[in-house]
Amino acid sequence: MKRLACRDVGLDCDYVILGDSNEEVTAKAFKHAWEAHAISAEEMTSDMKTSINENIVATE
Ligand SMILES: [Zn+2]
């Protein structure tokens, strides 16, 4: 499993995204950003996208 804490991307949020692959976590992160923070994929800065990729960690 892979996990990503929304907080690590720079948002004041306790949501943690889990997925089987980086691609799945990234897709869910984009969905969460839109649903919870009203940030669309088009509005997302490249820094934020980089931060998503860098903060995905492997978990048990
Ligand atoms: Zn969030």
Side-chain angles (χ1 to χ4, degrees), residues 6 11 13 15 32 36-37:
C6 192
L11 294 161
C13 172
Y15 193 76
H32 169 76
H37 305 292

Side-chain angles (χ1 to χ4, degrees), residues 5-22:
C6 192
R7 186 175 299 280
D8 290 341
V9 182
L11 294 161
D12 184 18
C13 172
D14 289 326
Y15 193 76
V16 174
I17 297 142
L18 296 170
D20 291 326
S21 63
N22 283 29

Side-chain angles (χ1 to χ4, degrees), residues 1-58:
M1 289 286 279
K2 301 291 177 78
R3 76 188 288 277
L4 170 73
C6 192
R7 186 175 299 280
D8 290 341
V9 182
L11 294 161
D12 184 18
C13 172
D14 289 326
Y15 193 76
V16 174
I17 297 142
L18 296 170
D20 291 326
S21 63
N22 283 29
E23 291 72 26
E24 187 182 343
V25 173
T26 302
K28 285 183 178 177
F30 275 64
K31 188 167 184 284
H32 169 76
W34 172 242
E35 292 179 347
H37 305 292
I39 300 168
S40 70
E42 291 74 28
E43 289 173 314
M44 207 173 276
T45 63
S46 56
D47 277 358
M48 198 174 279
K49 289 176 183 172
T50 302
S51 192
I52 288 172
N53 285 317
E54 287 179 346
N55 286 293
I56 295 174
V57 294

